[in-house]
Amino acid sequence: MGRTTAALVAVLLVNLVSLTNAFHGDGESWSFTKHTYGLSLDVPAKLVCEYLWPGSHSRMVAPRDGNGGYVIRSALVDQLDGKYIVGHQYTVDLVGLVNPYEGFIIQARDRWNEGLILGSFIPLDTSKAQTIHCLGNDHGTVTHNSKDPVSVQSFIWQAPPTLEGSGKVDFVYSVMQSSLQYWVRINASSPVLTYKEVQADGVSPMDAPCPSAPAANAVYRFTATNPPNCVQSSCDYFLGIRTNDNDPTYLDFMLEGSANGWIGVGFAPGPAMASADVLGCIMVITTGNLAIVDAWNLPASPDNNNVRDDIQNVCPHSANYSNGRIQCVFSRQIVTNDTTQDVPMNGSYYLLYGRGEKPTGSPPTLSYHTAQFTPPISDNPIEPDTASNTPIPTHPCPSSPAANAVYRFTATNPPNCVQSSCDYFLGIRTNDNDPTYLDFMLEGSTTGWIGVGFAPAQAMASADVLGCIMVITTGNLAIVDAWNLPASPDNNNVRDDIQNVCPHSASYSNGRIQCVFSRQIITNDTAQDVPMNGSYYLLYGRGEKPTGSPPTLSYHTAQFTPPISDNPIEPDTASNTPIPTHPCPSSPAANAVYRFTATNPPNCVQSSCDYFLGIRTNDNDPTYLDFMLEGSATGWIGVGFAPAQAMPSADVLGCVVLATSSEVAIVDAWNIVGGYINVRDSIQNVCPHSASYSNGRIQCVFSRQIVTNDTTQDVPMNGSYYLLYGRGEIPTGSSPPGLTFHGAQFTPPFSDGLVDPATFEGNSSGEVDELHSVMVRVHGVVMTVAFSIFGVIGIFFAAWMKPVLVQDGCWFQIHRAMMIASLLLGVFGFICIFVAHRHASFRGYYGLVPLDNPGDIIHFTWGIAVMAMLVANPIIALFRCKPNAPRRWIYNLIHGVIVGLLFELLVLANSCLGFYLLGGEGAMFYIYLFFCLFTIVMNIILGFTVAFISHGSEDLPALARTIKLCRSVCQYGRGYTKLTLNDEVQSLLGDTADKKDMKLLTMAVRWITFSFYAIVSITALLIVVVMVTQTIPS
C-alpha cells in the first residue's frame, strides 16, 4: 500500500510538471535526462536523480511492479554480493530477458546509504548511452541518449579509489519499455528474478586491492618481441612481464605494438587458441578510448571464440594509442578468485601473441586474427610467475643529470666547438645520486645514429658500443646497448642481449640528434659489456639511417666520423673539463636592475641601443656576476676585460650567432697575447641563462664566477680592467666561430678608465649608476604628480570652476594651493634629474644632459621652459590688478593664456616625450598619451557645452550663432576677456527664471565634467606612476 501510494503521488507530480513543460514545446516521451524538464523547476531533477523517475510528458499511469524481465548482469550482483575492490573495473550489462527497452537510468548506490552514489560509469557505446551529473557525482549515473529499442547495453563501472560507506554496492535502475510500461527504482540485489537465476552461478569475490603501477623505467624480467630483439618502441609486438614491486602476489604486464584495434597475450594449456586465458588492450570504436580487458577463449574454436570474463580481474595503470601504436600497462593477481576463466599464473602455459584490427560488437572483444598478422605461439611453455630472459640490473636506474650538468670528460669534432654546433659531441660524468653509474650525453649532426665505442685497440672489432639510433618505422629515437663482433665485416654491430642502459632523454630536430642516458660502471653482462673502470680507445661514430630489424649502428666511412681517440682513457675517471668550484646560480629576473651599464649611443633605450652591457651581482650566489649583452649585430656581441686600452690579452665574454643554425652560443674566449686573434677558452666558465637572435638584434644573459678555476685564460673579476665593447658580423673561416676582428667604426669605444667589475669602485669611468637609476625614476614620479595632477587640475579650477565656487573665492584657494604644490614638487623633481645625470658619468657626460641624443636635448630644453613659467606665473600674480579694473584683461591674457595655457600644453608634450625616452613605445607611453588627448578633448567639449547652454539658443542666424558661440568659449569658458567675474556671472544668469535654470545646468555640467575628468585622469596617472617605479632606465 505504501509503495502504491508513493507511486500515485509521484505520478501526479510528474504529470503536473509534464503539463507545465508541454507549454515549452518539449515533446519527448522517453528521456530520463534533466533537460526534459522546465529550466526553473527543481522537483524534476530531484525525481530523476533521487527516485530515478522517467521524464515523460504523456505518462499518466503508475509504474509496474517487479522488474519486468529487465535485469542487471554483473559479477558484482551475481557472484560478489556487491562487495567491490577499490579502483577495480567491473562489466555491467542491462539485459531485457523478454522484451527490448527504449529508456533506462542506472546508479551504483552504497548498500547502507542510498543517498551515496559510488564510482563512475563508462559507456561502451556512446551513441546509445551517456553519463549525467547527479547528487554531486559527474559520471555516477548512466542513461540512454537514443530511443532505439535494445535488448542489452554494456558499461564499465569503475569502483571508487577509496573505500566508501559499507564497502558494498547495489545497482539501482529504472527501465522504460514504452510510455505506458515502465519500472522504477529496481534494486538489482532485491529478491526478484536476477540474471544469476536465469544464467549461471558465480565465484567468490576478490580479496586484494590493486597494487601500485610499475615505474616508467621498470625492467621486465621476461620479454617477448617481434621481430626478435627489436627496440620496444619499434617492435610490431612487445610483451613484458615482471613481479609487482609492492605486492608480490601480482604480476605487472606491458603490451605494446603496431595495431589499430587490439593487442593481447594468451595463456593456453597447449599450442592452440582454445581454452586460453587472455589479457589485452582493446580499442572501443564508439569512444576511441582503450580498455584493458580480462577475457578467455571458449573451449570450442570457431573463427571468433573470445569472450569477456564475467569478473574483470585486471588492475589498469595506463593505456594510450598514438600514431598507429597501442601501449598499455596493467597488473593481474597470480591466483585470482575466478577459477573458471582465469588460470593461475604460477602454472606453465604456451603464450599466444596477438594483435588485430578494430573489433565490432558490444562489448568489443579481441577479434579473430590471421597468423600473418601476429607473432607465432611460443615454442615452449613458460611460467609467468618466474620466467626470466632479461637479467635484472644490480641497481635500479639513477636519476637523470641536470640540464646544465658539467661533463668532466668531453670529446668534440671539430675540436673545442660549441656543443650545439659540433658535428659530434660526447660528454661523460659520474651520476650525482649513484656513483656506480656514469652519465653520457651524445649530440651531433646526423640523420641516422650517433654513438661511442670502447675498444681494447684502435680498431672497430670487439668494442662495447652505446648510442642513439633513429627507428625508421616510427621516426623515434632509441638508446641502445650494442657491441662489435670480434670479426670485422663492413657491418658487424649487433644489439646486446641485455640492454644495460638507462635512457633519460632523446630528441631529433633540424638534422641533429641528442640523447642522455646512464650505464653502470660494472654491469651483469660480462660477455658484451666492458667494465667502465678499465682503459679503452674511444670510437666516435655517426651514420645514416640504418636498415634491418632491429636497426643497428650501421657501417660508416672515416670521412663521416671523428677519428678514434689517440690514447686510451678510463671512462670512470677521465677528465679534461675541470668542474667549477660552484654550480651555476639561478638566472636573474627579467626586470633585474643592472648596477653598471654601458650603452651606445649614450643613454639610449636598451631595446634601441646599438650596444648595451649590464653587470650585476647574482642575487642567490654573490660569488657570481650576471651579465646582459644586447645590440644590433648579425654575428656577435661581447665585452672584454683588458689590462690596457688595447685588444691583446683581454678576457672576453660574448654571444655568437652560429652560421649553420642561427642559434646563439654564449662563449668564454680570450684575445691571444700580442695579437688580435680571438680564440675559445679551453674551459667554458660561463653559465648560460638565455640567448636569442631576432630582427638583426642579439640578446643574451649569463653568469660568470668572480674568480674561476681557469687561472690561464680567465681574469679575476675583482681586479681593475679597461672594458672593450665590441660587436661584429657573422664569423667565417673558423671552427668554432670566434669573435672576429671589427673596426672602430663598428664598436663603442674602450672605457675611459679602469673598472672593477665586482665592486664598481674606480675612477669616473666605472662609477656605480644605481643612484642614477633611482633618481631618474624619482624624477618621473615627482614630475607626473607635480605637473599632470596638481598643475593641470589647478588650471582646470581657474578656467572652469569660477561660477560654481564664487563664494569666498573658493576656486581661487584651490587653484593657489594646487599651483604651490606643483611648484614645490616641480623644483624637487628638477633637482633629482641633475643628481641622476651626475651619477651617470660612465656615459661620457656630467651634470646637465647628454648632447648627442636629440630626444634628451628637447626634453631638457622644454623642461627648463616649463620650470621658468612655473616660477614666473606666481610672481606675475603678485602684480595683478583688481577684478573690475579696466586693464584687468591684460593680466588675464598674460597669466591665463600666454603663460598658463602654454605651460599646460608644454607640460603635456614634455611629459609625453619623457615617458617615451624612459620606456620607449610601451604601455606607459600610450597611457600618458591617452591622458594628454583626454585633457585637451575634455577642455574643448566643456568650453563649447557651457557656451552653447548660455548663448546657443538665441534667435540668430546660423552663421552669427556659430561665431558668437566660439567667442563665448573664450569669454565664458576661460575668462580671458575684459569682463570681470561678476560681469560673467551676471551675463550668464540675469534675474529671469530661464537664466536661473541655465545657472543650475551650467553648474551641473562643470561639476560632472570635473568629477569624470578627475577620476579618469588620476586613475591613468597612478597607473603610469606605478609603471615608472618598475622601469629600468638606461
Side-chain angles (χ1 to χ4, degrees), residues 646-652 669-673 675-679 724 739:
M647 298 288 290
S649 305
D651 184 8
V652 180
W670 70 299
N671 295 337
I672 294 176
V673 177
Y676 290 85
I677 300 174
N678 180 267
V679 296
L724 316 181
L739 281 64

Side-chain angles (χ1 to χ4, degrees), residues 197-372:
E197 294 172 324
V198 174
Q199 188 72 8
D201 291 327
V203 295
S204 302
M206 297 168 61
D207 53 9
C210 283
S212 59
N217 61 353
V219 177
Y220 290 82
R221 54 176 165 76
F222 177 83
T223 58
T225 62
N226 189 55
N229 204 29
C230 56
V231 178
Q232 178 181 331
S233 59
S234 66
C235 291
D236 292 335
Y237 180 97
F238 175 88
L239 162 70
I241 305 176
R242 68 193 299 274
T243 304
N244 186 270
D245 292 324
N246 300 108
D247 188 340
T249 66
Y250 275 86
L251 298 182
D252 298 329
F253 294 83
M254 174 179 277
L255 286 166
E256 180 175 350
S258 300
N260 61 10
W262 63 269
I263 187 169
V265 59
F267 303 89
M273 298 286 290
S275 302
D277 184 10
V278 180
L279 304 173
C281 316
I282 195 165
M283 179 71 71
V284 180
I285 297 178
T286 55
T287 65
N289 297 326
L290 284 172
I292 297 174
V293 299
D294 183 5
W296 69 301
N297 294 337
L298 299 176
S301 300
D303 281 350
N304 190 346
N305 66 344
N306 182 266
V307 296
R308 193 75 58 85
D309 283 14
D310 294 327
I311 305 174
Q312 291 294 296
N313 276 312
V314 283
C315 294
H317 298 306
S318 64
N320 64 73
Y321 174 78
S322 176
N323 298 324
R325 292 185 66 80
I326 293 175
Q327 185 194 81
C328 59
V329 179
F330 55 92
S331 300
R332 221 299 286 277
Q333 278 182 295
I334 295 173
V335 180
T336 76
N337 54 0
D338 184 358
T339 57
T340 306
Q341 298 166 323
D342 288 345
V343 300
M345 290 290 172
N346 53 8
S348 185
Y349 310 95
Y350 286 89
L351 299 190
L352 315 181
Y353 310 126
R355 56 195 177 105
E357 297 179 352
K358 291 181 179 178
T360 57
S362 181
T365 58
L366 281 65
S367 54
Y368 178 73
H369 58 99
T370 61
Q372 291 79 5

Side-chain angles (χ1 to χ4, degrees), residues 854-908:
D856 281 327
I857 294 174
I858 294 172
H859 184 66
F860 175 75
T861 305
W862 286 359
I864 295 292
V866 166
M867 286 303 301
M869 286 185 284
L870 184 63
V871 174
N873 230 13
I875 298 173
I876 294 171
L878 295 176
F879 299 97
R880 67 185 182 277
C881 52
K882 293 183 179 182
N884 56 358
R887 288 192 174 89
R888 174 66 180 229
W889 67 271
I890 298 174
Y891 165 76
N892 290 348
L893 179 64
I894 297 173
H895 182 76
V897 177
I898 296 176
V899 178
L901 182 58
L902 184 59
F903 168 80
E904 183 176 12
L905 294 175
L906 202 55
V907 159
L908 297 177

